[in-house]
Each structure stands twice: as structure tokens, then as C-alpha cells.
Amino acid sequence: MSEKYFDVGPSEDGWESAFEGWLVNKSFYGESESAETEFICPGAGFKASIGANMSFAGGYICRVIPKQGKHLILILRRSLKTVCVEWAELEAAGFKFAAGQRFRLAIVCGRDSVDAYFNGTRMLSYQRKREDESFWIGDCGFIAPKGSMQLAKDSFTVKGKRIERPNEDENKEIPAPYGYRFDPSSLPDGAMPAEWTDTESKNTFVISAGKAVPSTPGYCESLIFQYDNDPCLRARIYCDGKNSDGLFGFILRKAPATAYLKVGYRCSDGVWLVEDTPAKYDCKSAIITGRPFAMRPGTEYDICIRVSGKKLTVDVDGERVLESGEIRHTGFGKTGIFAEGAVFSLSYLEADFSSGTAPAENAFMRCADPDTFQGSMEIELPGGDEIIGISKQGLYRSVNGGRSFEAAPEEYSFLHPHGFYQSVAKLHDGTFMQIVLSEGSAVYTSPDLKSWTRIGRVAPDEWLDEIGSHVIMTHVGSLSEIRLPDGKYRLFFPMNKNTSRHDTPSLSARGHDTICSFSDDGGRTWNQSAPVSESLAKYVLRELPDWAESKVVLCSDGTMRLYCSRNNSRFFSFLESKDFGETWGSVQVIPYMQCGLSSFSTIEDPGEPGTWYTVWVNSLPTFRGGTFPRTRLCLARSHDGKNWEFLADVERFGTRYADDAEPDSKPLFQLVDPCINVDDKRVYVSWGESARGSGLPSTQKRVLSDPSTLRGYHNELRPIFVSLDKKKLRPQPWSAATVADTRLIPTAGVGEKW
């Protein structure tokens, strides 16, 4: 038989994607005795892994990874906790890696030990323990970055006892649907329901004579500020049919603005149809038409729309007028109504939202710059209705509370972050402070966000030659000022150092250490706490510790927490300090707040000291220490800095769409670098939201100082802004509706090794 090879990446016959990067063998699931395969080395810069008995409960991984020497790693993961990591230096053992060189990896699971073999020689061994016994069943497979490694396809062999593969969703908790009802007869003329969000064009539905009607003959749209993927709608509608060119109907799964389903009635030929637009910013919609159904003028009709995955049905007065099983857009999104050139009214609307979450009231969303696709946005509040948006590619200003944005005047130009993350904070005396990373973490203050005075620098002298190569980033809005029990104020600024020994800094580089700097003299001089790595020393976090993009919070009991969502645990995590940030204790996690390697933002309510608001990417990553998906942005609140309550979905959409032009790119839809701010009435959230691919080749090198090259990782981002009414935010219980995956909670191991 001739030898077959394929680049590790897309699924081939006999293999299927299990989680990001891994391919598992379709034909074997069970208790493995051994798994072995042969790789072909491309030269420098590679890694390859083989895994056995991998499941949600844990598994064994044998990995070759380039470091100072070429290392072999044997890893045992029990649930989400890495309980064993053993290393062997392969080059020290005489093996030289070169392009075209073949090597074999194998894992042998014996009665008493798990052994890792390299080219037939046992290199590492782990003595099995009694508590491991329930984790001896799972998948077998391999992983290697596409293009960096080849696998001899026919060389993969596995021996063991095959059993029936379980249903992955069998034990998954299903949210209880949220029942929504809109009755316009209870609202005055000209009003709009609190849970409906307006649009920038103001072409929305309003109440007239007890019904919801379009505010203009042109296109009108109103959306409920709630996200669902499989809603069931029941409504009573009226259309006089006078305008033969009119179109009206319902919107489903709209998020982001470029992805949606529209189920509408076309007056010209009396046909119900579906416009299905799944992903790409400029993609063409698919139109699915039903059978003709003449709607008589002056008559009300009862409509029922059901959507579940790829299936959609439309019934009018109990009669099926449209049915499809080929819906492309299956992600989460908003629900609403629309009309264009039609005299249309809505008498009532009921919805069963399968996601189980309630709508937010008095909330609205805007895109600060629809024509810019290169960054997120930090928001600052000078006062009144003025809002300043700071993006990597520009500055924006709103003078009406965020309902519209324009380019900021030149007098705000010093706020431009010049390619780095920005960190600005409003202090207790009303002045503003800014840390400028591009100037070696220089500290500036301003009375009005316009004129700035340099007063100090955060980083000590010995760090300066590392700026831009080892100190690679700070968290969006990471600067904070906290009032200590003695009445004095202390500033905190966590900075992240790259520990992964990459020659070029990378925002996606694995291995970050955090040093929390603090100042007691208003930012003129700074001290540094012990590195977070000292607190992580007893914890095994993949191959390297990864703790980055943190924020300090003061708790009601006088302790402090250094919160972090960009870590390898799959949970919103924290370190605790009992000496006001000078030293940090052991790692702990919040089991009901789950996340991947992604940013978050938190801020104390200046009008209610001790109350904190946090926005984080509430998406369970496809593997421990992974980044994607990041498609659900949620808001939480704490009254003591420790216990959090779920408030709302800020944004949510589908998880696995890719750009047609770049099928091997990162997921198309992403939520990146959220920021939060609060005033006496509202909570403001902003972030970068991808709506199309990067347009860059995947091989193009990313350079931190050149933001245009970073789009290949984040795709192209538009700055999105949401404003929410504080008084209308209602806590919702932590449940299957608000937790990414409730099955993960018992495995969190709070205060234990990950």
C-alpha cells in the first residue's frame, strides 16, 4: 500500500474534529491500552500531540513541543485539573529534529502506570492512582497546528476495549424557556415598550390606538433586547394590503447586524418568505418562499413561527404556509418586527425564548463607526451626556449619551493609544489619569481629558528595555483607584509580562505573568507586588502559567481580589490579598462564571461605593486554556466584590461561522476587549465586534505596533456600544440559562489545583 499523508487540519475520512485543533478517531471510543502514530517534522517551530482516553472527565496527552531543547511532555488531566506533568529533553537524549525527520509518539496505559514512548523508547512514566480509575475511558486522537506538521495517515494505531460512545448532551441541563408577552393596548400612543431597543435611524414601531405600527412609510424595525436561537412566536397582525409593493413580518436571530432571519409577507404576490443571511458582512441572502396565501384587507390573522436549528415553520390561522429544513443562520440573536412600505399593525406578540433569559429594558445599541473595522473601544465619561470613545484607530465623541457618535475634536487627541491598549480612569477628585504604554508606562493626569501633564512612570528602570518585547499588554481599563479603610487612596495597575520566550511579542502568546503595581502618592511613584507567578507556582497551568489582563477589586470585608478571565482554568478566577495588594494568595475560581482566554472589564459604581459591575465573555471554550468561541458578552453585579449576580446578555450570536473567503481563519464572529463604565443612571459597555474576515493571509506576521496586522487574529472589528438603564436591571438566577455549562460547576475545584 502506498503511503498517505495529509496536513493536520481539516477532517478526513475516519477522523472528526472533537475540540479546537484535535482530531479523534471515529471508529474507536473506549478504554485505550495504547495509542501510537508517526509524525513528520517540518523543521523548526512545531509541536505535536497524541492523546488517549480523552473526555470531559480528563485524559492523557503525550506532546512534543519546541522550547530551549525539544521536550517531550506527559500530561494527565483529571477533569479540568492538570494533575501530572512530566518532562524529558529529547535533544539531550540524542535526537535531532530536522525537516523531513520522522518520529513516533505513543501512550501506553498499563494497569499500574501510563508511559510515554518516543521512537520506541520509554521516556516518561506516571504511576496511576485509585482516583484516576473513572477517567480511563474516552477518545483517541492527535493535534498539530496545520502546516507545521504532517502525519503518516495510516500509521495511527490504537488498541483497547471499544464501548458505545455516550450522548454528549444526555446530561446537559436545558434552560427553562422564558415566556414573553407584549400587549400594546396597555401603552399610551407614541410610546414604545421598555424592552424594545431603538435604532439610530429612529425608524421604529410606536403605539397607536392600542396597536404597534410603523413610525414611517419607509423601512421600520424594532427589536426586543434579548438573545435567542430557537424562539417560538405567536402574534396577531393586520395589513390592509393597499400597497402592492409592501413587505412586513418578523425578525429572528439578529446578531450581529449582518446575520439574521426575516420571515415576511410580500404583498405584491401574497407569498410568505424567509430571508436567510448567516454570516459574512457582504454575503448574499438566501430567499426561501412558501406557497401563496392571500391575506384579506381589513382582517386580523394569527401567526405562529417556530424555529429550531435548521428547521422553520410558519402557520397562518392554523394553516401551514411555509416550511424549511435548510436554514443556514442558526446562531443566537434578537427577535423583532419589521415593515417596509406596508400598512401593518401588531395587536399582540407572545414568545417562548428557549435560552431562558429575560429581555433588558431601556437599553440600546450603536456602532460608533460602521466604516471602521480595526479595533475595540474604551469609553470615558467627561460629564453630562458626553461620552468619549478611545479606539486603536480613532477617537469618537457622543453628546447625547451614546445614541450617536462622531469623530472627536482634535483637543482630545492625546487619548489616542497608538496601537496599544488604553487605560484611563476617573479619580475620586474628578481628575483623569492615563497610563501610556507606548511611553514606557508613563503616567499622565488631566482635569478634562484634553490637557495632560506627565507626573511619573509605572515601570521601574530595569523594565524599560523590555517594553514592547516582554511587557506586551495591559488590560482594557485596568487602572483603578481604591479608597483604603484609613481613608487614603491607592492606585493599582496590573501589567502583563510575556513568559513564553517568543522572539516576537504576541497577543495570543501563551505564558503571561502579572505584576500588580500600586501607588500611594497619586501616581508619581510606584511599588510592585510579588509576581502573580509566585502564587501560581503550586498550580500547573498547561505548559506555562498564564495570568493576564487583571483588575483589582476591594471587597466589603476589607480584602482585595485580583480578578482575571484570561487564564487557563475555564473560569473567572481571582487571587486574594489581605494586605491591600502587596502580596497575593492562592488561586480560586468562580464556578458559575465561565470563560476562555479573553478579556473582561469591571468598575465600581461611583454613586454606590462597594457595588461593582463586570462584563465578561461568558462562553465555554472548546478546550481548557482555549480562546474560542467568544460569542456571548454578559453583565454581572456584585454588592460586596465577591458574590456576583447575573443581570443581562449584552451581546450573543452564533459560535462557529467562518468567512467564506478564509475557511481556515479564526471564527468569524468574535467579541473582543470589552470595556465598562457607569454613571448615576446608566451602565455603558463597549467592545470590538467582528463582522467579516480579516482580508489578510493567515501567514502574515502580526506586529504589535502595527494594528493593521492584528486583524488576522481578531478578524476585522467594529466598535460597538450599548447603554443600559441601571434601575431596570433585574438579577436572574445562575442556571442553565445564564451559566455557559452547568456540568462544569462541580469540576471547578475552588481553591484547589486546576
Side-chain angles (χ1 to χ4, degrees):
M1 177 184 295
S2 61
E3 214 165 23
K4 298 179 180 179
Y5 303 98
F6 66 95
D7 288 333
V8 177
S11 299
E12 297 282 335
D13 293 340
W15 300 92
E16 63 183 354
S17 297
F19 36 88
E20 192 169 287
W22 281 90
L23 294 181
V24 297
N25 192 284
K26 292 180 181 178
S27 62
F28 185 88
Y29 179 90
E31 185 175 350
S32 303
E33 297 176 5
S34 66
E36 182 178 8
T37 195
E38 182 178 83
F39 291 98
I40 304 172
C41 178
F46 72 92
K47 63 181 176 180
S49 304
I50 186 171
N53 295 336
M54 299 183 300
S55 69
F56 191 86
Y60 305 102
I61 298 172
C62 178
R63 176 173 297 165
V64 173
I65 185 169
K67 294 188 69 61
Q68 287 180 327
K70 299 301 186 293
H71 293 326
L72 181 72
I73 312 170
L74 175 63
I75 303 173
L76 166 62
R77 288 183 183 152
R78 185 184 304 121
S79 186
L80 299 179
K81 307 167 192 172
T82 299
V83 295
C84 164
V85 174
E86 300 289 343
W87 297 74
E89 293 191 11
L90 300 178
E91 289 194 339
F95 186 85
K96 301 296 183 183
F97 288 88
Q101 189 80 32
R102 295 168 178 260
F103 62 89
R104 300 187 68 84
L105 293 183
I107 293 179
V108 177
C109 304
R111 179 181 298 274
D112 300 317
S113 66
V114 179
D115 302 316
Y117 284 78
F118 184 85
N119 283 347
T121 300
R122 187 174 70 173
M123 303 293 294
L124 299 170
S125 183
Y126 166 76
Q127 298 302 307
R128 278 184 163 179
K129 298 178 176 61
R130 181 177 298 276
E131 57 263 33
D132 299 338
E133 292 181 0
S134 60
F135 308 118
W136 288 3
I137 293 175
D139 282 300
C140 292
F142 61 90
I143 182 174
K146 184 176 181 182
S148 73
M149 184 66 61
Q150 283 187 317
L151 174 79
K153 181 179 179 182
D154 294 335
S155 71
F156 192 97
T157 59
V158 58
K159 297 178 182 179
K161 180 181 178 181
R162 183 186 286 112
I163 64 174
E164 184 177 354
R165 187 184 298 272
N167 182 353
E168 292 183 1
D169 294 327
E170 185 176 4
N171 299 318
K172 188 172 184 179
E173 185 180 351
I174 304 300
Y178 180 87
Y180 169 78
R181 179 176 175 84
F182 163 57
D183 181 5
S185 64
S186 61
L187 297 174
D189 285 0
M192 187 175 70
E195 66 274 12
W196 289 19
T197 178
D198 67 353
T199 64
E200 192 166 356
S201 67
K202 299 299 182 183
N203 294 338
T204 61
F205 282 73
V206 296
I207 306 303
S208 177
K211 296 183 179 181
V213 299
S215 61
T216 176
Y219 181 80
C220 285
E221 174 181 292
S222 287
L223 298 168
I224 303 169
F225 205 103
Q226 192 274 355
Y227 297 89
D228 202 76
N229 61 336
D230 290 335
C232 175
L233 305 184
R234 297 172 298 278
R236 180 164 293 167
I237 63 172
Y238 167 89
C239 181
D240 70 3
K242 294 179 180 178
N243 192 332
S244 60
D245 296 326
L247 182 69
F248 64 86
F250 301 86
I251 300 169
L252 309 170
R253 299 172 173 172
K254 185 167 185 178
T258 59
Y260 53 83
L261 294 177
K262 282 186 176 179
V263 180
Y265 182 76
R266 191 167 58 201
C267 300
S268 60
D269 54 4
V271 170
W272 281 88
L273 52 86
V274 177
E275 181 182 357
D276 181 5
T277 304
K280 192 177 176 182
Y281 181 72
D282 57 352
C283 76
K284 295 181 179 179
S285 302
I287 304 297
I288 303 169
T289 57
R291 66 178 184 81
F293 183 91
M295 299 185 71
R296 298 183 300 275
T299 303
E300 288 192 323
Y301 290 87
D302 289 327
I303 309 297
C304 181
I305 301 174
R306 292 183 175 89
V307 59
S308 177
K310 296 183 178 181
K311 298 179 180 179
L312 182 145
T313 60
V314 180
D315 295 332
V316 180
D317 282 349
E319 185 177 343
R320 182 66 46 86
V321 297
L322 190 152
E323 183 171 4
S324 176
E326 300 178 353
I327 298 300
R328 299 180 300 164
H329 177 40
T330 58
F332 285 80
K334 295 189 182 81
T335 303
I337 56 177
F338 77 95
E340 186 172 13
V343 180
F344 162 72
S345 64
L346 179 75
S347 298
Y348 77 85
L349 173 67
E350 293 180 342
D352 293 328
F353 291 131
S354 63
S355 64
T357 55
E361 297 184 17
N362 289 351
F364 64 88
M365 177 183 290
R366 296 289 186 268
C367 179
D369 186 352
D371 299 322
T372 294
F373 290 85
Q374 294 186 14
S376 55
M377 184 174 71
E378 182 173 335
I379 44 180
E380 302 302 332
L381 307 176
D385 289 333
E386 187 177 14
I387 297 174
I388 299 298
I390 309 170
S391 171
K392 290 183 180 180
Q393 295 302 305
L395 298 173
Y396 306 97
R397 183 175 71 164
S398 172
V399 294
N400 54 11
R403 293 188 179 276
S404 63
F405 285 86
E406 59 186 8
E410 181 65 24
E411 57 191 355
Y412 290 102
S413 61
F414 191 77
L415 287 168
H416 197 291
H418 306 290
F420 288 84
Y421 287 98
Q422 191 74 324
S423 197
V424 181
K426 190 173 185 178
L427 307 184
H428 71 280
D429 60 1
T431 62
F432 294 88
M433 179 172 287
Q434 177 181 188
I435 309 295
V436 182
L437 193 61
S438 59
E439 295 185 20
S441 67
V443 181
Y444 286 82
T445 58
S446 171
D448 55 8
L449 291 175
K450 301 174 184 177
S451 59
W452 293 87
T453 302
R454 179 168 175 162
I455 64 169
R457 191 182 68 219
V458 179
D461 290 339
E462 57 268 26
W463 287 14
L464 291 186
D465 59 344
E466 299 179 358
I467 293 293
S469 61
H470 293 284
V471 180
I472 64 169
M473 72 173 93
T474 58
H475 176 45
V476 175
S478 57
L479 176 64
S480 58
E481 182 189 48
I482 292 179
R483 189 176 187 268
L484 303 182
D486 62 4
K488 297 179 181 179
Y489 288 87
R490 174 170 284 185
L491 294 162
F492 291 91
F493 187 66
M495 297 183 70
N496 312 319
K497 299 185 71 175
N498 184 359
T499 61
S500 60
R501 296 173 182 165
H502 283 212
D503 294 333
T504 302
S506 167
L507 296 181
S508 60
R510 296 296 169 82
H512 298 96
D513 194 4
T514 292
I515 295 179
C516 187
S517 299
F518 59 92
S519 173
D520 294 325
D521 60 4
R524 289 170 176 79
T525 61
W526 295 77
N527 298 303
Q528 280 73 43
S529 67
V532 169
S533 58
E534 294 184 10
S535 298
L536 302 180
K538 63 181 72 173
Y539 298 85
V540 179
L541 308 178
R542 298 190 61 170
E543 294 82 36
L544 292 163
D546 203 339
W547 188 279
E549 302 184 55
S550 308
K551 185 73 175 278
V552 175
V553 167
L554 177 66
C555 303
S556 58
D557 61 2
T559 62
M560 286 183 172
R561 288 187 173 185
L562 183 67
Y563 280 111
C564 176
S565 61
R566 187 184 173 91
N567 63 73
N568 287 328
S569 72
R570 296 216 287 197
F571 298 99
F572 199 65
S573 305
F574 64 91
L575 305 175
E576 190 174 71
S577 175
K578 296 181 180 180
D579 55 12
F580 306 114
E582 296 185 22
T583 60
W584 298 96
S586 60
V587 180
Q588 299 181 64
V589 303
I590 302 178
Y592 49 85
M593 295 176 72
Q594 299 162 14
C595 56
L597 285 174
S598 195
S599 303
F600 79 105
S601 186
T602 189
I603 195 168
E604 187 176 19
D605 188 338
E608 190 179 342
T611 295
W612 296 82
Y613 290 89
T614 287
V615 60
W616 88 105
V617 180
N618 185 17
S619 297
L620 184 66
T622 51
F623 67 95
R624 179 180 173 273
T627 301
F628 304 110
R630 42 186 177 189
T631 54
R632 185 183 186 186
L633 195 63
C634 295
L635 179 67
R637 179 175 59 198
S638 173
H639 295 293
D640 60 7
K642 291 187 171 185
N643 299 290
W644 297 88
E645 54 190 13
F646 184 95
L647 293 178
D649 282 317
V650 179
E651 175 70 295
R652 190 177 187 182
F653 39 64
T655 60
R656 297 305 301 171
Y657 293 120
D659 189 339
D660 295 339
E662 300 176 78
D664 298 325
S665 65
K666 298 295 183 183
L668 175 60
F669 290 164
Q670 299 180 43
L671 301 166
V672 177
D673 298 330
C675 176
I676 191 168
N677 217 322
V678 182
D679 62 18
D680 58 338
K681 295 181 180 179
R682 304 190 71 84
V683 177
Y684 306 100
V685 180
S686 61
W687 65 93
E689 181 170 294
S690 60
R692 68 182 185 189
S694 67
L696 300 175
S698 59
T699 55
Q700 180 165 337
K701 189 174 182 179
R702 297 189 297 273
V703 180
L704 186 62
S705 59
D706 183 0
S708 67
T709 68
L710 301 178
R711 294 177 290 145
Y713 183 73
H714 287 158
N715 290 319
E716 294 197 344
L717 303 172
R718 296 195 297 176
I720 306 297
F721 171 87
V722 161
S723 174
L724 302 107
D725 187 338
K726 283 201 304 185
K727 292 183 179 180
K728 297 294 185 178
L729 293 171
R730 301 286 184 265
Q732 301 178 50
W734 295 107
S735 66
T738 53
V739 177
D741 194 331
T742 55
R743 294 175 299 177
L744 204 62
I745 292 178
T747 74
V750 179
E752 301 178 11
K753 291 183 179 181
W754 292 341

